[in-house]
Amino acid sequence: MPQLLPQGIIVLDFGGQYTQLIARRVRECNVFSEILPYNATPDEIRAKEPKGIILSGGPESVYAPNAPKLDPKVFDLGIPVLGICYGHQLMAAELGGEVHTTNREYGNATLRAIGSRLLEKGESRVWMSHGDQVAAPPSGFQTTATTDTCPVAAMESDERKLYGIQCHPEVTHTERGKEVFKRFVYDICSCRPDWTAANFIATAVEEIRTKVGTGHAVCAVSGGVDSCVAAALAGKALHKNLTCIFVDHGLMRLGEAEEVEKVFADHYDSRFIAVDAADQFFAALKSVIDPEEKRKIIGAEFIRVFEKLAGEVGECEWLIQGTLYPDVIESGNPVAAKIKSHHNVGGLPDWMRINVLEPLRLLFKDEARAVGRELGLPEHLVERQPFPGPGLAVRILGEVTPERVERLQQADAIAIHELRASGVWDTIWQSYAALLDVRSVGVMGDARTYENPIVLRAVASEDAMTAVAVRVPWETLERIATRIVNEVQGVNRVLYDLTSKPPATIEWE
């Protein structure tokens, strides 16, 4: 999907763990941001009509043999540039400053700013995460901040509109971080705060109409937030020329297929078709245990169903789906490593004939929710927890069979019921049960058991790019464990996953 609103901010990604946070912080200023690889050419950048450029952090030293470098002509585009951490060091190195390897600095530091267009004068707490640092700024630059160990913690050449900062203003540990972004996007780049849900809807609706024309489109729906918002957006654009298709692959949560049909009957005017394709998916997944292969198989089977139905609903060349920006990022790009193939991105087969339209492709989850509210979707639907497109297949480690799915559905339903009854449900971004492909010894009724464990996961997050485990009350965890072991056949142990993201992902597969 092309850039939706011109004159936003381009973020050049040098492989930093916080790159997506930088883009989010800009968008929180109601200014559009888009992430491009570090080696985007000056012409590619200029074509986006950005008002500013941000260079992200990264794990390399600027002097490493394969360190990522940008075309130095980027600095001569006349567009304001802000370098953060590695981007700050790279700016200095490319323009004639000095960068030295020093003692690594990770954690809080006190920044002392003399006051500039980028930084407010005074001391503030910031977050540092670096090994190299700028020892001397390039000619024509002024040092605008220091710390006890970093002599050039910030620098700028206001004449050339080039700015650098060693700390990470995008993380919450930096107390004035949001002010740094506001000063850059508003005061320095003169951006307008026009990245809003209403503006997005107007632009996206027009694009959908332009692409689909007078033809027909089908929209893949699952009942989750992303697909429901995509369906509402497509419905606003296409009206009766849209058919929403729900494919029940047999991998939904307990009672969810019936709930999806009710949602579309109650809240949508578009034609709705529900297809029971469970046998087809289980056959395709037989004996498959590798999670990447599962995702690709499920993606391919979805397309087979959609292409078949698209041919039955009339002149239809477009498949609309609710792909989000994190799906695209995690499925990999030339800079970011592929974490996992999302079934609707990296899992799509190359033989598919139907065109794919992804109106939410540049949105983070919270932005998609805001669009849903603007479109008038009910709050209970907009605030639903995320659920993966491959469904329980990526929460069942090992082979996916109807019997194992039923076992997990029962355990998951118990966990959801008890978590809803606890006082932490509103703090949970995503929660679920996973079925492991190992067995453990237990004792029930004085007899030895050798059965599967269930893992519970409940995390808090803003955008799914990072997450932390929720502190579920001990009594609630005990109640869930007792009920699952007593009520679900084939399970004799329940565990709780405390791992944050990173290093883990939210889903187990």
Side-chain angles (χ1 to χ4, degrees):
M1 190 169 185
Q3 182 175 332
L4 295 174
L5 290 174
Q7 301 186 1
I9 302 294
I10 294 296
V11 180
L12 295 185
D13 183 7
F14 290 87
Q17 61 175 318
Y18 301 134
T19 300
Q20 292 77 35
L21 271 180
I22 295 172
R24 279 184 48 78
R25 294 296 176 250
V26 173
R27 294 190 187 191
E28 287 170 0
C29 299
N30 293 119
V31 173
F32 178 66
S33 62
E34 183 177 359
I35 299 172
L36 296 181
Y38 68 87
N39 55 2
T41 68
D43 286 342
E44 290 171 335
I45 293 171
R46 190 186 291 111
K48 296 284 186 178
E49 301 180 47
K51 298 283 282 184
I53 301 166
I54 297 179
L55 313 181
S56 81
E60 300 291 343
S61 165
V62 294
Y63 297 123
N66 297 316
K69 302 288 179 66
L70 83 173
D71 187 326
K73 293 178 182 177
V74 169
F75 296 121
D76 298 321
L77 290 174
I79 301 170
V81 180
L82 169 61
I84 295 176
C85 194
Y86 179 87
H88 165 68
Q89 299 159 12
L90 183 63
M91 181 184 292
E94 290 290 329
L95 297 178
E98 294 182 21
V99 178
H100 293 171
T101 298
T102 183
N103 293 330
R104 294 182 178 184
E105 185 178 26
Y106 299 103
N108 290 314
T110 299
L111 186 78
R112 290 181 291 275
I114 65 172
S116 67
R117 294 193 70 190
L118 187 68
L119 298 172
E120 181 181 349
K121 183 179 180 179
E123 293 188 352
S124 62
R125 179 177 55 85
V126 299
W127 183 260
M128 292 289 196
S129 179
H130 64 99
D132 291 353
Q133 65 182 27
V134 178
S139 176
F141 278 71
Q142 177 187 20
T143 298
T144 56
T146 62
T147 71
D148 288 340
T149 59
C150 190
V152 188
M155 64 181 188
E156 65 181 58
S157 172
D158 201 38
E159 180 181 356
R160 297 186 63 183
K161 302 178 183 177
L162 302 179
Y163 309 82
I165 187 168
Q166 181 59 66
C167 69
H168 287 273
E170 68 273 23
V171 301
T172 57
H173 303 73
T174 298
E175 61 184 2
R176 296 180 186 170
K178 291 184 179 180
E179 292 303 314
V180 171
F181 287 105
K182 287 180 180 179
R183 284 172 175 250
F184 182 68
V185 301
Y186 295 146
D187 300 342
I188 295 172
C189 299
S190 301
C191 291
R192 297 187 303 270
D194 52 12
W195 178 248
T196 64
N199 284 345
F200 172 85
I201 291 169
T203 308
V205 164
E206 182 60 31
E207 182 178 16
I208 294 170
R209 286 176 179 160
T210 300
K211 287 194 172 183
V212 178
T214 59
H216 201 95
V218 294
C219 182
V221 298
S222 65
V225 177
D226 311 338
S227 65
C228 283
V229 173
L233 197 61
K236 184 177 179 66
L238 303 176
H239 304 291
K240 298 301 181 182
N241 284 348
L242 176 71
T243 299
C244 295
I245 300 176
F246 167 62
V247 178
D248 183 359
H249 48 19
L251 304 168
M252 306 295 286
R253 290 170 288 202
L254 195 64
E256 194 157 37
E258 296 79 10
E259 184 179 347
V260 171
E261 295 191 38
K262 186 176 186 309
V263 163
F264 277 84
D266 291 346
H267 301 291
Y268 290 83
D269 295 327
S270 305
R271 183 185 179 195
F272 176 79
I273 299 174
V275 181
D276 184 353
D279 291 344
Q280 174 181 333
F281 279 81
F282 281 122
L285 290 168
K286 184 175 176 59
S287 302
V288 176
I289 61 173
D290 179 76
E292 278 291 288
E293 190 176 353
K294 287 180 188 177
R295 290 175 178 272
K296 292 182 183 297
I297 287 172
I298 290 169
E301 293 307 313
F302 268 124
I303 296 302
R304 288 191 173 92
V305 175
F306 288 131
E307 288 197 336
K308 178 177 183 297
L309 290 173
E312 297 175 1
V313 300
E315 185 104 6
C316 182
E317 298 179 353
W318 291 94
L319 167 64
I320 296 170
Q321 58 183 21
T323 306
L324 294 186
Y325 210 11
D327 300 339
V328 177
I329 294 167
E330 288 196 338
S331 292
N333 60 53
V335 177
K338 181 172 75 174
I339 308 302
K340 54 192 176 187
S341 295
H342 288 260
H343 78 289
N344 55 348
V345 184
L348 294 177
D350 54 13
W351 47 258
M352 63 185 293
R353 299 185 303 275
I354 196 167
N355 299 308
V356 175
L357 181 55
E358 299 168 317
L360 310 181
R361 187 181 179 88
L362 294 180
L363 298 187
F364 290 100
K365 176 72 78 172
D366 59 320
E367 294 174 317
R369 294 189 201 275
V371 169
R373 291 188 185 96
E374 187 73 21
L375 288 167
L377 294 180
E379 192 68 15
H380 72 85
L381 198 160
V382 171
E383 283 299 325
R384 287 196 67 185
Q385 287 189 11
F387 185 67
L392 299 182
V394 292
R395 294 176 178 176
I396 294 175
L397 280 66
E399 186 177 8
V400 179
T401 66
E403 295 76 22
R404 300 192 79 205
V405 169
E406 182 180 2
R407 185 176 303 165
L408 182 56
Q409 284 176 329
Q410 293 173 2
D412 189 69
I414 291 169
I416 290 175
H417 179 270
E418 295 298 340
L419 286 172
R420 282 186 179 276
S422 74
V424 296
W425 180 256
D426 289 342
T427 69
I428 297 175
W429 166 274
Q430 192 168 353
S431 60
Y432 64 89
L435 180 65
L436 300 191
D437 190 29
V438 297
R439 290 190 291 175
S440 65
V441 174
V443 56
M444 303 171 87
D446 296 327
R448 179 184 185 273
T449 62
Y450 192 49
E451 297 173 334
N452 294 128
I454 285 286
V455 174
L456 303 177
R457 185 107 162 108
V459 298
S461 179
E462 290 184 0
D463 54 16
M465 299 308 301
T466 61
V468 295
V470 173
R471 294 176 180 268
V472 178
W474 185 255
E475 297 78 8
T476 300
L477 290 175
E478 281 188 318
R479 190 159 52 250
I480 293 172
T482 300
R483 285 195 58 193
I484 288 176
V485 170
N486 287 341
E487 299 174 30
V488 181
Q489 292 294 320
V491 175
N492 67 353
R493 195 180 296 266
V494 177
L495 314 173
Y496 186 59
D497 183 352
L498 292 171
T499 320
S500 62
K501 175 186 178 179
T505 57
I506 294 178
E507 297 288 346
W508 267 60
E509 288 193 342

